[in-house]
Amino acid sequence: LLEKMADVSLKEAALIVGVVAACYWNSLFCGFVFDDVSAILDNKDLHPSTPLKNLFQNDFWGTPMSEERSHKSYRPLTVLTFRLNYLFSELNAVSYHFLNLVFHVVVCVVFLKVCKLFLDNRSSVVASLLFAVHPIHTEAVTGVVGRAELLSSIFFLAAFLSYTKSKGPDNTIVWTPIALTVFLVAVATLCKEQGITVVGICCVYEVFIAQGYTLPVLLDMAVQILRGKGSIPFSMLQTLLKLIVLMFSTLLLVVVRVQVIQSQLPVFTRFDNPAAVSPSPARQLTFNYLLPVNAWLLLNPSELCCDWTMGTIPLVESLLDIRNVATLTFFCFLGSLIVFSLRYPGDSSKTVLMALCLIVLPFIPASNLFFPVGFVVAERVLYVPSMGFCILVAHGWKKLSDKSVLRKISWVCLAAVLFTHALKTLHRNWDWESEYTLFMSALKVNKNNAKLWNNVGHALENEKNFERALQFFIQATQVQPDDIGAHMNVGRTYKNLNKTKEAEESYMIAKSLMPQIIPGKKYAARVAPNHLNVYINLANLIRANESRLEEADQLYRQAISMRPDFKQAYISRGELLLKMNKPLKAKEAYLRALELDRTNADLWYNLAIVYIELKDPTEALKNFNRALELNPAHKLALFNSALLMQESGDSRLRPEAKQRLLHYVKEEPQDANGYFNLGMLAMDDKKDMEAEAWMKKAIRLQPNFRSALFNLALLYSQTAKELMALPILEDLLRYYPDHTKGLILKGDILMNQKKDIIGAKMCFEKILELDPNNVQGKHNLCVVYFEERDLIKAEKCLVETLALAPHEEYIQRHLNIVRSKIASLGATEQSPLPADRTATAATEEKKNSFQNLKEVKNEQKTTQTTVGNNKGHSKNKKRTEKNNMDKETPKKSAKEIKDIEKKRVAALKRLEEIERILNGE
């Protein structure tokens, strides 16, 4: 009969699917909000490149369980479903919300099957429908991280259903369902910790439902046995055996769980759960008052809030507090139900008992009664307890509807409740559309929670609306003046608004709120690890002032002294030490950080930058490669390792350098630097057409890209396309009028290709305006004077040039030639050189080596870290600093050197021809 009653018809399942779809369809249009950011967007465990074993070593948020900052939430199977979502749709929120909706449907159907064990068909459907539409579930269903509740509930109910089949004919034990129950309990626990509480429900079911005992019968039996007037019945022994197996399995799971968290409880602050750190009796009175608060949310879910921490519910500090009446009333009502369910036989008492078990037992881990949790009230943890509530309501409704007088009104009330709950759920889903809508809706309910003001500020900050964000952050400091995180937020926002003085003042207030070190007491256990970021943020702010670098270093060292395992402090200090030209100390800092985390690609990257500063390119490349092994898509490592290979002069490394740059531009298609350096590689490989294409692409993305413009012009000049170089040089000089190399190249082309002596002269004169001691520009101007047939001026110019560069032999030779010409012809008999035989020094330089004119804009990028302050929103984000550097191409290969020598020989022959002409030979 029990099996038959527990079957769910297709019509009932279809009804549940339709109702859930009607209530939650709009959840598909919501994004990732609140805790979703840490669990989904910032969680590397979702990425296919992360080894699967990491899921079983890290907590729900991707933090290693061994780290103190871990929340110790061990839910690897839930994270695995997130990873599957990522595999199919990456970070498309629709797929995540859709899967949550499907899981909620499954829970509702399985719950209907459970209800049919204790209620009639009609009441079971009522209970299931009420559960399906209850607004308290929006946090678990519409919030993606609520999937932990959904998955755990599926296996929780499946484990219970399996256990109900463990009783065979004649009260025999069927072990297969028990074994399956233990397995499903383990799976439920790996989805969320409360899954283990189903064991308690199975025990109550076994004693009071399966065996049919009542509390008076059990007490009477115990008294008889103690008096020696009776023995333990065989059925009772079998029951004890089953309970022992269940309890032993549970104990084993608890031991494993304790081992996983390494016997450490998570570190929470008084802001997360103020009552947890309050003295007696405020602690006990407040925790007990929270029970009727949760019950009221189930009864009247009209005012829902995503965050109930901090000052949301003021502490109950006195026995005279009127709220104690609510606590007393709640316990009286709960106690009467417990007495009724345990004392009296009958189906009604059994139904009430199982409903109470579903309410009470799954709620115990979140009740704060045995150990503190990181919240005051959380709507999502009421997901399973609401099942018991729905059974109670459906059972009560059945009692009313069975009475002819109240039948109609009971149906009307039921319809009203289901309809209003469904509408509230539908409306509540829209609150989860974005972080801004979610936290603004929470502020309508609760204005005494500084965290909500902070989170609205974070949402506005993400939209770059810093002015409005600042208003919310300041309000947070007024609501909770001792909130360290709020003052940090104010400081960071002032910094974003370039108000450094105000930013420093806010950080100093936050720093003053930090607890002082107590000798002999572990500091880390008394403060949230994120709050230590105040030292990092303050140091990052003041180190912009070159005169305060030592002060910034002192702040980093202070943070490290408080937490020797504070990885971020070592990273930030390493960056500062590089800035202070202390690369050896920076190396020590990064090596210490690597001792704490050898799987951090950014650390290996930063160490590579240190080795570049230490002039050790081999070690630098090794560390770049290690970073890429850990994260093949590490953009900075791809870019800078490619530059290192390119600058090494080793032609064997060029193919790999090219592959890395191609990977980089795939990751960063809008960064012109990637295309520019691909062009430089092609120039080195003498692939002129390919180089031209890459340079043009870089210029399209960044029209004022100085080095790309110049090198493209140089490429055209180098490949006998001088006239194509002119418009490029015009663009370059429009953006950078003082670009000396560009002026030299333009003057050279005007002189030798366009025969525009005046234009060339203007270029060289402009160079001397910018730098009167520029030998190349000065010499070329001398040649212009010679072309203008002003040998006296040319002689004077060459004398001045020789004074600037007395060791340049070609200037002395040219001076001798001009003087010889003056002596032989006289000033009136000057004759110009044949136009086709004139060569300026720019030409000579180009002939000597085009490589010497190559201008490289390598943007060497160093990783820095800006630190947030809130768990849900304190994502450690990397920022790159780009130092634009024009520099000559470094050492060449042997083949390149031979090519350059050949060009120099050719240039010398050309000089000899010019000298013969000047000598009149």
Side-chain angles (χ1 to χ4, degrees), residues 23 106 615:
C23 289
V106 174
K615 306 293 189 291

Side-chain angles (χ1 to χ4, degrees), residues 265-288 290 308-310 313-316 366-377 525:
L265 286 174
V267 177
F268 297 119
T269 69
R270 58 193 174 86
F271 302 113
D272 297 318
N273 191 348
V277 293
S278 299
S280 298
R283 177 189 173 102
Q284 290 76 20
L285 291 174
T286 304
F287 282 157
N288 282 292
L290 294 179
W308 295 79
T309 56
M310 303 188 91
I313 299 175
L315 296 173
V316 182
S367 66
N368 285 288
L369 296 177
F370 295 99
F371 49 83
V373 293
F375 53 83
V376 179
V377 173

Side-chain angles (χ1 to χ4, degrees), residues 122-306:
R122 190 174 60 184
S123 301
S124 297
V125 173
V126 167
S128 185
L129 289 177
L130 181 57
F131 179 80
V133 303
H134 203 296
I136 202 74
H137 299 155
T138 49
E139 183 170 339
V141 181
T142 310
V144 177
V145 294
R147 185 178 299 176
E149 315 289 338
L150 306 175
L151 283 172
S152 180
S153 298
I154 291 171
F155 295 107
F156 179 102
L157 295 174
F160 177 70
L161 285 172
S162 174
Y163 187 80
T164 61
K165 299 175 183 176
S166 65
K167 182 181 177 181
D170 300 322
N171 210 22
T172 55
I173 301 175
V174 184
W175 289 107
T176 304
I178 294 177
L180 181 59
T181 297
V182 172
F183 171 74
L184 291 171
V185 169
V187 173
T189 306
L190 289 174
C191 293
K192 192 176 180 185
E193 297 79 359
Q194 69 182 25
I196 201 168
T197 59
V198 72
V199 173
I201 295 173
C202 292
C203 291
V204 173
Y205 172 84
E206 177 64 32
V207 174
F208 296 99
I209 309 299
Q211 301 302 327
Y213 293 116
T214 60
L215 191 58
V217 171
L218 288 175
L219 290 174
D220 185 57
M221 190 181 297
V223 169
Q224 293 296 325
I225 293 170
L226 289 173
R227 289 179 177 176
K229 294 181 180 180
S231 59
I232 301 176
F234 180 71
S235 60
M236 176 65 79
L237 289 173
Q238 285 188 309
T239 300
L240 285 173
L241 180 61
K242 290 169 75 173
L243 296 183
I244 289 169
V245 170
L246 274 181
M247 297 308 294
F248 179 78
S249 304
T250 306
L251 186 62
L252 191 62
L253 283 173
V254 170
V255 169
V256 171
R257 183 69 174 83
V258 169
Q259 287 297 315
V260 166
I261 67 171
Q262 300 186 2
S263 302
Q264 292 179 337
L265 286 174
V267 177
F268 297 119
T269 69
R270 58 193 174 86
F271 302 113
D272 297 318
N273 191 348
V277 293
S278 299
S280 298
R283 177 189 173 102
Q284 290 76 20
L285 291 174
T286 304
F287 282 157
N288 282 292
Y289 172 67
L290 294 179
L291 300 177
V293 169
N294 281 280
W296 181 248
L297 285 174
L298 289 173
L299 277 169
N300 179 30
S302 59
E303 293 188 339
L304 299 177
C305 181
C306 63

Side-chain angles (χ1 to χ4, degrees), residues 526-776:
R526 298 182 294 108
V527 68
N530 279 338
H531 285 172
L532 282 172
N533 285 328
V534 67
Y535 295 98
I536 307 300
N537 291 357
L538 181 57
N540 289 346
L541 178 71
I542 66 175
R543 79 184 202 184
N545 184 340
E546 294 288 336
S547 65
R548 301 182 70 184
L549 298 182
E550 287 293 343
E551 187 181 345
D553 189 34
Q554 177 63 33
L555 286 165
Y556 292 137
R557 282 184 280 137
Q558 188 174 352
I560 290 168
S561 69
M562 291 176 173
R563 279 187 71 97
D565 62 343
F566 191 16
K567 179 177 64 181
Q568 189 54 52
Y570 292 106
I571 295 172
S572 298
R573 185 167 185 246
E575 292 161 3
L576 177 68
L577 290 168
L578 273 179
K579 188 175 182 179
M580 295 169 73
N581 294 319
K582 297 179 180 179
L584 288 173
K585 286 190 175 181
K587 177 183 170 184
E588 288 176 14
Y590 286 132
L591 288 174
R592 179 71 182 91
L594 280 168
E595 288 176 16
L596 299 170
D597 183 6
R598 297 192 68 80
T599 61
N600 188 320
D602 294 321
L603 281 174
W604 292 103
Y605 168 81
N606 285 3
L607 189 58
I609 297 298
V610 171
Y611 279 114
I612 287 175
E613 293 294 322
L614 291 170
K615 306 293 189 291
D616 190 345
T618 305
E619 280 300 314
L621 191 56
K622 284 180 184 177
N623 284 283
F624 279 138
N625 291 341
R626 185 64 188 271
L628 290 170
E629 285 173 15
L630 293 166
N631 180 9
H634 194 293
K635 291 179 278 194
L636 297 175
L638 285 169
F639 184 87
N640 285 298
S641 62
L643 291 191
L644 199 61
M645 292 175 174
Q646 183 180 356
E647 292 170 0
S648 70
D650 188 343
S651 58
R652 294 171 298 178
L653 294 177
R654 283 183 197 158
E656 178 61 22
K658 182 177 180 180
Q659 288 304 311
R660 292 189 182 186
L661 285 172
L662 287 170
H663 192 168
Y664 176 78
V665 297
K666 184 180 178 182
E667 296 287 332
E668 286 285 346
Q670 297 304 310
D671 187 358
N673 296 290
Y675 302 106
F676 166 73
N677 283 286
L678 280 166
M680 296 300 290
L681 267 179
M683 286 180 74
D684 289 340
D685 287 335
K686 307 296 184 294
K687 297 177 180 178
D688 298 332
M689 291 182 66
E690 185 181 332
E692 180 184 356
W694 289 124
M695 292 294 182
K696 283 182 174 179
K697 190 156 189 177
I699 293 167
R700 276 199 299 274
L701 286 170
Q702 188 179 329
N704 66 340
F705 197 152
R706 171 182 169 136
S707 299
L709 288 165
F710 177 77
N711 281 288
L712 180 59
L714 182 63
L715 178 66
Y716 284 142
S717 177
Q718 189 176 353
T719 53
K721 299 177 183 176
E722 287 90 344
L723 297 182
M724 291 177 69
L726 273 180
I728 305 297
L729 289 167
E730 292 291 346
D731 288 340
L732 172 67
L733 294 170
R734 186 172 72 252
Y735 291 117
Y736 307 101
D738 57 349
H739 196 288
T740 304
K741 291 180 181 179
L743 287 166
I744 288 174
L745 189 56
K746 182 182 176 184
D748 173 46
I749 294 171
L750 290 174
M751 172 79 90
N752 293 291
Q753 302 299 321
K754 300 281 284 184
K755 311 304 178 187
D756 182 356
I757 305 298
I758 296 173
K761 184 177 181 181
M762 289 173 65
C763 289
F764 301 138
E765 286 176 342
K766 174 70 174 176
I767 292 169
L768 295 178
E769 283 177 25
L770 298 168
D771 179 12
N773 296 323
N774 187 294
V775 175
Q776 204 170 5

